[in-house]
């Protein structure tokens, strides 16, 4: 698909519902005592994998993704390996579920997921008493023998909501208390939901402690995904003739680092919380920002926007001065090595960008000449370089653009509406 320059960007949009929260809502409904009803779940390849895995473990689902009734079953050993596709969230969170039940299961994924590290969840869950066998002790396929677990105190080497959530989920059925401490606080959807559902859980700074708990069936509506919204927000602040309004989007403090960073860069972007239940929900307004300036992004902000960090390279192209990102080495362990993919593809488009082991430097203001990019099957890379095409001189052809269906199948449809 080739994306070409546009004169105007305008629109009031809603984005797909939150992928992270959808995964967790499905899992907690499967772990609950009694039926749950979930509204406006995100249907994409990743969340379908979580639903499929839970179904093979004994959970029953009725209805569609707009309204789904979930009836927990007795967790059972599946008769076949469980396919997680490209979803790291499915794999790591389900590792916590399986480890805490007396069942055996094998998780496997596609080529991309099979290159992502799993020792980070195998280590704490193994300390709790689960048994693991994995390729090179780090990669899928991963076999798990669950059982009776004991609580631990675990200091995570990475700020990862997936690692934290896997341990917390296992801790719900472990003996004694389970504590996870992170170097920097990661997104807290798991903690918020479990508090709302009556679990015994306590937060103190970067430490989370959970005690053995049961949760009741619940009803929940999923908010819009701020990570999906961020692509349109970025387009809104960069394009010289733009105004984008995003409604009904989740504005969890642990997820809005990108919005806060744009403000530090002088962007015309505002957001407001309009209601709050399990999660704060509200509206974002982004407008053309001619006075964008480059900054050195505060390292402590990185975990609250890890999926949006590559967008800062695109924003930096149009900002005055240097935009520097460091402390983001986790990007190399995503669906692709996002640091390398960002740098290599921007260079193909005529942009000067410097690569670091843990980030990049872009000196603005530059022009995006145009050309052909390869997102290497990474949905977020495909979406970002599609935006680059709209801001380029000659257009950008994005190979394998269909990979956006992993998280945002409606991306190009919404994009057409705001540039029409």
């Amino acid at each position: 698909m080739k994306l070409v320059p546009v004169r105007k960007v305008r629109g009031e949009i809603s984005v797909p519902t939150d992928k992270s929260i959808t995964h967790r809502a499905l899992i907690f409904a499967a772990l609950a005592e009694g039926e749950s009803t979930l509204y406006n779940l995100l249907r994409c390849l990743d969340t379908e994998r979580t639903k499929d895995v839970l179904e093979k473990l004994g959970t029953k689902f009725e209805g569609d993704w707009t309204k789904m009734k979930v009836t927990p079953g007795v967790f059972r050993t599946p008769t076949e390996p469980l396919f997680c596709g490209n979803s790291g969230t499915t794999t790591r969170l389900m590792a916590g579920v399986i480890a805490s039940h007396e069942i055996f299961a094998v998780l496997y994924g596609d080529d991309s997921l099979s290159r992502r590290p799993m020792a980070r969840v195998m280590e704490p869950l193994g300390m709790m008493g689960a048994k693991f066998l994995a390729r090179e002790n780090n990669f899928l396929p991963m076999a798990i023998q669950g059982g009776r677990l004991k609580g631990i105190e675990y200091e995570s080497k990475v700020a990862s909501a997936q690692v934290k959530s896997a341990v917390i989920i296992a801790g719900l059925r472990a003996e004694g208390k389970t504590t996870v401490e992170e170097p920097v606080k990661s997104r807290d959807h798991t903690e918020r939901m479990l508090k709302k559902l009556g679990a015994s859980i306590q937060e103190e700074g970067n430490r989370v402690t959970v005690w053995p708990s049961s949760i009741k069936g619940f009803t929940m509506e999923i908010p819009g995904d701020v990570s999906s919204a961020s692509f349109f927000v970025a387009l809104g602040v960069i394009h010289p003739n733009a105004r984008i309004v995003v409604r009904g989007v989740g504005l969890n403090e642990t997820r809005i680092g990108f919005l806060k960073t744009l403000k530090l860069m002088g962007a015309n972007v505002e957001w407001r919380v309009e209601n709050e239940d399990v999660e704060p929900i509200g509206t974002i307004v982004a407008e053309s920002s001619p006075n964008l300036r480059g900054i050195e992004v505060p390292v402590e902000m990185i975990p609250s926007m890890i999926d949006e960090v590559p967008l800062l390279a695109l924003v930096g192209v149009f900002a005055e001065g240097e935009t520097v990102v460091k402390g983001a080495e986790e990007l190399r362990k995503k669906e692709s090595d996002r640091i390398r993919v960002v740098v290599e593809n921007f260079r193909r488009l005529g942009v000067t960008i410097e690569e670091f082991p843990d980030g990049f430097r872009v000196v603005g203001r530059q022009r995006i000449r145009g050309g052909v990019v390869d997102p290497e099957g990474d949905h977020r890379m495909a979406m970002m370089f599609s935006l680059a095409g709209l801001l380029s001189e000659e257009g950008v052809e994005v190979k394998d653009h269909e990979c956006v269906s992993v998280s945002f199948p409606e991306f190009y449809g919404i994009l057409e509406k705001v540039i029409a």
Side-chain angles (χ1 to χ4, degrees), residues 9 29-30 69 74 91 95 120 124 171-172 178 195 208 217 221 238 256 300 321 335 384 397 405 410:
V9 176
K69 185 169 76 173
V74 176
T91 310
R120 54 180 56 182
L172 292 173
T178 299
K195 279 182 185 175
V208 182
E221 184 165 351
I238 298 169
I256 58 173
E300 63 271 16
E335 286 84 337
M384 182 180 73
E397 182 179 337
S405 62
E410 305 92 337

Side-chain angles (χ1 to χ4, degrees), residues 218-234:
F218 59 97
T219 299
M220 183 177 183
E221 184 165 351
I222 315 300
D225 191 338
V226 70
S227 293
S228 296
S230 294
F231 292 95
F232 293 93
V233 171

Side-chain angles (χ1 to χ4, degrees), residues 6 8-11 13 229-246 258 262 267-269 284-290 292 311 314-315 387 390-391 415 418-419:
V6 294
K8 183 172 70 172
V9 176
R10 289 281 190 282
I13 64 172
S230 294
F231 292 95
F232 293 93
V233 171
L235 179 62
V237 301
I238 298 169
H239 195 281
N241 184 7
R243 187 175 192 272
I244 292 286
V245 179
V246 189
F258 181 66
L262 289 179
N268 295 326
V269 59
I284 306 171
V285 180
E287 297 181 303
S288 301
S289 306
L292 283 172
L311 281 169
L314 179 61
V315 176
L387 301 184
L390 304 180
L391 300 155
L415 196 60
V418 301
I419 63 176

Side-chain angles (χ1 to χ4, degrees), residues 37-41 43 63-68 220-221:
T37 304
L38 309 176
Y39 293 92
N40 295 328
L41 294 157
R43 183 176 189 176
D64 59 23
W65 293 78
T66 59
K67 180 182 179 182
M68 188 177 290
M220 183 177 183
E221 184 165 351

